[in-house]
Amino acid sequence: MKQIIPFAHQLFIDTLQQGDVVVDATLGNGHDSLRLSQLVGENGHVYSFDIQQDAIDQSQQMFNDHHAKQITPILRGHEHVYEELNKRSVNEIDGAIFNLGFLPGSDQSITTNANTTIEAIEGVLKLLKRERYIVIVIYPGHETGEIEKNELLEYLATKPAKEVDIAKYQMVNRSKKAPFVVAVYKK
């Protein structure tokens, strides 16, 4: 059985190809962006969003160390994904990942929140090709994360089944505060 992050990445392993364009809506420490860059290859591209310059600086060093030149970090909140990609003439994408919460090892008061995350999901859905995924890793283990989880699940439950399938992957024998994955598959 796959753990949470490997399961999230497996959805992309199963659907992404060399040359694809993807979004890491929450750059954080850069590990998702690096993994996505390996899947899309040198001819693909990863657009990564974060509101913290520290996250971008630390991630950029890791990208340089791994010779990952196809990643573009964007110092802006993920709620601006649609606008920022349009500015870059990106009209469609092959996938997106959200790893919600706060940047590990940093100021835990700087977190994602449901309002901006929902706006980002809406923007990504406009760009997402059919038969592709938005993968959301939700961390309800802190107060803001619990609020975000509840609001996101409520919002996602309203999405029409004729447009998207939405599934939750969660370990049932763990704490209710343990992270879990929500996969949104565009039909």
Side-chain angles (χ1 to χ4, degrees):
M1 180 174 288
K2 290 195 180 296
Q3 295 300 310
I4 296 303
I5 298 299
F7 175 80
H9 289 172
Q10 186 65 49
L11 294 171
F12 293 119
I13 291 167
D14 293 343
T15 57
L16 291 180
Q17 302 171 27
Q18 297 284 310
D20 281 351
V21 175
V22 294
V23 169
D24 181 350
T26 51
L27 174 63
N29 56 27
H31 295 292
D32 288 333
S33 288
L34 184 61
R35 183 67 181 119
L36 290 171
S37 75
Q38 294 163 345
L39 295 173
V40 301
E42 291 179 13
N43 295 322
H45 206 88
V46 180
Y47 293 94
S48 305
F49 291 79
D50 210 291
I51 61 169
Q52 296 181 77
Q53 186 66 50
D54 284 349
I56 289 178
D57 294 343
Q58 290 172 20
S59 296
Q60 189 62 58
Q61 183 58 52
M62 181 177 61
F63 303 154
N64 293 342
D65 292 347
H66 286 87
H67 309 288
K69 300 182 185 319
Q70 70 277 44
I71 303 170
T72 300
I74 299 169
L75 182 62
R76 203 147 183 225
H78 57 206
E79 67 272 24
H80 301 287
V81 65
Y82 187 78
E83 173 191 350
E84 289 293 330
L85 293 182
N86 274 329
K87 273 198 246 180
R88 292 164 172 81
S89 299
V90 177
N91 301 317
E92 60 183 11
I93 61 171
D94 299 286
I97 191 165
F98 290 74
N99 208 325
L100 303 178
F102 51 82
L103 178 64
S106 72
D107 182 352
Q108 294 184 11
S109 70
I110 302 172
T111 69
T112 56
N113 68 73
N115 292 336
T116 59
T117 300
I118 289 168
E119 191 174 343
I121 292 168
E122 286 294 320
V124 167
L125 277 171
K126 290 177 190 174
L127 298 167
L128 188 66
K129 290 179 183 174
R130 293 180 63 227
E131 301 180 353
R132 299 300 177 109
Y133 285 101
I134 300 170
V135 177
I136 309 163
V137 183
I138 298 175
Y139 292 86
H142 55 98
E143 185 178 343
T144 307
E146 179 69 19
I147 294 167
E148 184 173 33
K149 172 199 83 168
N150 292 333
E151 291 180 16
L152 279 176
L153 292 177
E154 185 176 312
Y155 154 76
L156 291 169
T158 68
K159 301 307 286 178
K162 65 182 181 185
E163 296 174 13
V164 293
D165 283 332
I166 302 173
K168 182 164 76 166
Y169 182 78
Q170 183 173 26
M171 303 298 176
V172 297
N173 61 343
R174 304 279 169 85
S175 163
K176 291 182 182 187
K177 296 183 180 242
F180 61 92
V181 172
V182 172
V184 179
Y185 179 77
K186 187 172 181 179
K187 294 180 177 181

